């Protein structure tokens, strides 16, 4: 199992962070390796990622399910590999510092299963924290840009 957590301060009120992270359409393209996504309904979507896993170049299809929208502070989701045997979960958490500043945390956990699991899980361990940091920073920067 690989996990990543990253926290940043965003110089906007919590309602601006919530407005952004509660709508996948606003941040989907910021996910590292993003290629495309399709909304099935307001809680279900499929995503395609392209990237390198170790020395392999790979395209991966993932089903994302929103588990909870807890306005204005938390969006929780789970993911399941459609093209490969892996699963995971994650969230965005917003905590108000004051009226004009918010602490935002991104979290992601991924576990590979099946025969490839013992090979892929050690490869995921350094990748998932970097991807979590990259996504959280990109989301925070985009929120800053749209609220200047």
């Amino acid at each position: 199992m690989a996990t990543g957590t990253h926290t940043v301060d965003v110089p906007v009120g919590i309602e601006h962070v919530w407005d952004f992270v509660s709508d996948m359409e606003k941040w989907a393209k910021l996910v590292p390796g993003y290629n495309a996504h399709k909304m099935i309904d307001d809680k279900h979507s499929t995503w395609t990622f392209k990237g390198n896993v170790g020395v392999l170049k790979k395209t991966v299809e993932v089903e994302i399910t929103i588990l909870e929208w807890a306005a204005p502070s938390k969006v929780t989701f789970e993911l399941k590999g459609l093209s490969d045997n892996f699963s995971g979960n994650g969230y965005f958490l917003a905590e108000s510092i004051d009226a004009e500043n918010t602490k935002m945390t991104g979290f992601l956990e991924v576990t590979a299963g099946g025969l490839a699991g013992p090979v892929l899980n050690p490869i995921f361990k350094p990748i998932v924290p970097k991807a979590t940091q990259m996504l959280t920073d990109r989301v925070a920067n985009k929120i800053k840009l749209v609220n200047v």
Side-chain angles (χ1 to χ4, degrees):
M1 170 185 354
T3 63
T5 305
H6 185 63
T7 301
V8 294
D9 290 343
V10 188
V12 300
I14 194 169
E15 68 281 354
H16 295 294
V17 173
W18 176 255
D19 179 60
F20 195 86
V21 300
S22 65
D23 183 351
M24 278 193 284
E25 294 291 333
K26 293 182 179 177
W27 55 266
K29 292 179 178 151
L30 303 175
V31 177
Y34 173 87
N35 188 46
H37 76 282
K38 178 178 143 191
M39 298 302 296
I40 297 166
D41 60 37
D42 64 336
K43 288 191 172 186
H44 301 90
S45 58
T46 57
W47 298 45
T48 304
F49 298 96
K50 288 185 178 180
N52 299 328
V53 178
V55 296
L56 302 173
K57 289 188 183 219
K58 186 112 173 102
T59 299
V60 177
E61 251 189 276
V62 181
E63 179 181 57
I64 306 285
T65 302
I66 299 293
L67 299 176
E68 180 181 26
W69 276 299
S73 58
K74 194 171 187 182
V75 177
T76 307
F77 59 90
E78 68 180 7
L79 54 96
K80 182 175 119 184
L82 298 175
S83 59
D84 296 273
N85 187 354
F86 66 89
S87 61
N89 62 78
Y91 61 77
F92 281 111
L93 175 66
E95 299 170 280
S96 184
I97 297 170
D98 58 38
E100 296 178 7
N101 294 284
T102 304
K103 180 168 73 167
M104 185 181 75
T105 301
F107 171 81
L108 181 63
E109 176 180 273
V110 178
T111 303
L115 294 174
V119 173
L120 290 177
N121 282 315
I123 293 170
F124 285 167
K125 283 190 186 242
I127 293 170
V128 170
K130 288 177 187 172
T132 303
Q133 178 179 355
M134 189 180 295
L135 175 59
T136 306
D137 287 342
R138 286 176 178 178
V139 168
N141 289 333
K142 189 73 166 183
I143 291 169
K144 289 178 208 174
L145 285 175
V146 298
N147 290 289
V148 171

